[in-house]
Amino acid sequence: MSQPASAYKDRQFLAVIGDEDSVTGLLLAGVGHVTQPPDSQKNFLVVDAKTETSAIEAAFDLFTTQRKDIAILLINQHIAERIRHRVDTYTAAFPSLLEIPSKDHPYDPDKDSVLKRVRRLFGE
Amino acid sequence: MSGSGAREAVFPTRQSLGLMKSKLKGAQTGHDLLKRKSEALTKRFREITRRIDEAKRKMGRVMSIAAFSLAEVTYAVGGDIGYQIQESAKSAKFRVRTKQENVSGVFLPQFESFTVEGSNDFGLTGLGKGGQQVQRCRETYARAVETLVELASLQTAFVILDEVIKVVNRRVNAIEHVIIPRTENTIKYINSELDELDREEFYRLKKVSGKKQRDQAAGEKEREVALAAAEGKENVDLPTRAAKDTADSEDLLGDKDNEDVIF
């Protein structure tokens, strides 16, 4: 159902979970934000081959459920692939979850959780 | 007839018949309205899904261009600038605000990007060399993020509409397949009960009047017989007998009077 305005009026940041290049580029565009010092939280997470899946899941949880100031969560598709079950079961409207392609992994529409839903609805 | 199908627990009275009739009318109006709402939403939904499909493809192109410009930067700067940029990010320049759009009573939020004026976190990036490439890369990525924001608002609308359409369809089906048949059943039940009561009442009245007629006829006959007997006896017999007979006939008349009053 549609939420009251309070559910999203404070949401004004974008969050990123991605590889180094994607994060760098998006930060250059000016989406990066670090909260005030006592518990300075970044709104981005750089994932490389050595990053644990649990760390990605923790960041995913942090951005989707704990922080209330994030409107859009961008996640690289190959990283979304690593926590696919979490991404597929995420159905909330806010923050909206967007899978983006990365430099090394071109965009594959068949893996996108939303496009999958679109396909299913139209019976393709 | 009335026993088939579920019905509401009401007493079969004229008042509840009126109530049920107005309820049925309300349910039909509501069903029509909801059906129309669901159709309007579905139309919107299809449009959005088509646009999502397009936007996703566009995003793929835009992101690959952006990644290429970042590669240019890496080449021009001659080293990795990732670490430097991650460290110098402090406050978001690029933010989104949400506004609402009303589609047949459903509020769809739309993201709108805006940039906060202020100091640039990356003022020193590419100071040595490659400043121009960094600048260009920044612009490319800003455009890419705008595309992403647009896509995100489409996607949010998609998620919300999907849910709302499900709820509306569930209501439409509930009214169509549960509430309307049940109310119709109740009306049928009340009607049949009222008819039954009518028939019962009619039969009872018929019975009563039949009994009255029979009683009257019997009384008439008895009186005639008594009169005839009295006349016969008067012709032959003693005055004392005659007096007793008149008393009898008076009694009989009295009874008849009573019956007439009752009737």
Side-chain angles (χ1 to χ4, degrees):
Chain A
M1 234 23 239
S2 55
Q3 287 109 335
S6 58
Y8 49 78
K9 77 169 196 293
D10 292 331
R11 297 182 182 272
Q12 51 174 346
F13 298 123
L14 288 88
V16 191
I17 300 176
D19 61 10
E20 191 170 359
D21 283 338
S22 309
V23 172
T24 306
L26 291 168
L27 289 188
L28 263 181
V31 303
H33 190 84
V34 180
T35 51
Q36 290 302 309
D39 56 336
S40 49
Q41 283 179 321
K42 292 171 178 172
N43 68 341
F44 50 91
L45 174 75
V46 178
V47 176
D48 53 26
K50 293 195 290 290
T51 310
E52 300 272 337
T53 308
S54 59
I56 302 173
E57 281 188 6
F60 185 79
D61 275 344
L62 176 70
F63 294 148
T64 51
T65 50
Q66 286 171 37
R67 287 187 62 165
K68 301 292 178 207
D69 55 352
I70 293 187
I72 305 171
L73 171 61
L74 303 170
I75 183 166
N76 270 142
Q77 200 171 29
H78 70 277
I79 294 164
E81 220 34 56
R82 286 172 65 177
I83 52 165
R84 178 51 69 194
H85 60 291
R86 300 291 300 277
V87 175
D88 279 350
T89 50
Y90 178 78
T91 50
F94 292 102
S96 93
L97 179 69
L98 209 55
E99 291 177 32
I100 57 172
S102 63
K103 200 173 72 179
D104 310 321
H105 301 77
Y107 184 65
D108 181 2
D110 293 337
K111 285 180 185 156
D112 194 299
S113 58
V114 172
L115 276 189
K116 263 194 251 174
R117 268 169 83 183
V118 174
R119 293 260 147 75
R120 203 169 53 231
L121 280 170
F122 289 97
E124 285 171 20
Chain B
M1 189 175 124
S2 61
S4 65
R7 60 173 172 78
E8 279 165 55
V10 289
F11 287 112
T13 56
R14 271 178 212 291
Q15 192 191 8
S16 52
L17 179 67
L19 273 177
M20 281 300 136
K21 275 188 175 159
S22 60
K23 189 173 171 180
L24 181 65
K25 209 168 177 187
Q28 274 159 350
T29 318
H31 177 255
D32 285 353
L33 282 175
L34 279 177
K35 193 125 197 169
R36 243 182 283 163
K37 178 177 176 177
S38 156
E39 273 159 16
L41 290 178
T42 311
K43 180 170 169 284
R44 188 59 188 245
F45 187 67
R46 282 175 182 273
E47 188 191 317
I48 284 178
T49 46
R50 211 192 55 242
R51 273 165 63 194
I52 282 186
D53 216 33
E54 281 168 17
K56 287 254 173 188
R57 281 167 219 288
K58 184 181 167 200
M59 174 191 77
R61 287 199 305 276
V62 168
M63 288 306 282
S64 71
I65 293 169
F68 184 70
S69 82
L70 185 69
E72 267 179 18
V73 169
T74 319
Y75 180 71
V77 175
D80 211 351
I81 58 164
Y83 183 73
Q84 188 193 348
I85 286 174
Q86 281 163 40
E87 282 308 304
S88 52
K90 285 285 172 285
S91 168
K93 223 157 68 77
F94 193 100
R95 300 185 185 193
V96 290
R97 69 164 76 87
T98 42
K99 58 175 191 181
Q100 290 183 324
E101 198 195 355
N102 192 344
V103 180
S104 8
V106 181
F107 287 102
L108 294 180
Q110 272 197 322
F111 297 120
E112 198 179 57
S113 54
F114 66 103
T115 46
V116 178
E117 297 303 322
S119 65
N120 189 351
D121 286 343
F122 313 113
L124 298 177
T125 309
L127 190 63
K129 45 185 176 173
Q132 211 174 13
Q133 276 83 358
V134 170
Q135 187 63 33
R136 199 154 58 223
C137 178
R138 215 155 63 196
E139 281 162 13
T140 320
Y141 261 102
R143 273 204 300 280
V145 175
E146 265 164 34
T147 316
L148 293 181
V149 168
E150 197 183 310
L151 182 54
S153 56
L154 282 178
Q155 198 177 299
T156 312
F158 171 82
V159 171
I160 290 177
L161 268 184
D162 189 26
E163 211 167 317
V164 171
I165 286 176
K166 263 186 221 154
V167 170
V168 170
N169 279 347
R170 214 175 299 145
R171 278 188 198 150
V172 170
N173 286 340
I175 291 179
E176 191 176 335
H177 297 294
V178 178
I179 293 178
I180 288 183
R182 199 168 63 185
T183 316
E184 276 171 351
N185 266 333
T186 314
I187 289 174
K188 246 188 234 164
Y189 161 76
I190 293 174
N191 269 335
S192 75
E193 286 294 296
L194 287 179
D195 283 355
E196 180 73 26
L197 280 179
D198 271 356
R199 277 195 298 276
E200 239 167 55
E201 183 68 15
F202 182 67
Y203 185 71
R204 197 175 68 82
L205 285 177
K206 229 165 80 175
K207 265 290 202 213
V208 168
S209 75
K211 175 99 167 62
K212 287 274 147 82
Q213 272 169 3
R214 254 196 336 272
D215 282 358
Q216 206 177 356
E220 204 86 21
K221 213 171 190 177
E222 212 171 303
R223 204 178 53 182
E224 270 168 26
V225 169
L227 269 175
E231 273 169 19
K233 275 169 192 164
E234 247 177 31
N235 285 341
V236 184
D237 262 321
L238 299 162
T240 47
R241 280 286 287 275
K244 200 189 167 193
D245 266 341
T246 40
D248 267 357
S249 72
E250 264 171 21
D251 258 6
L252 225 137
L253 266 170
D255 271 352
K256 217 183 154 266
D257 267 343
N258 275 344
E259 254 181 45
D260 267 352
V261 168
I262 288 168
F263 188 67

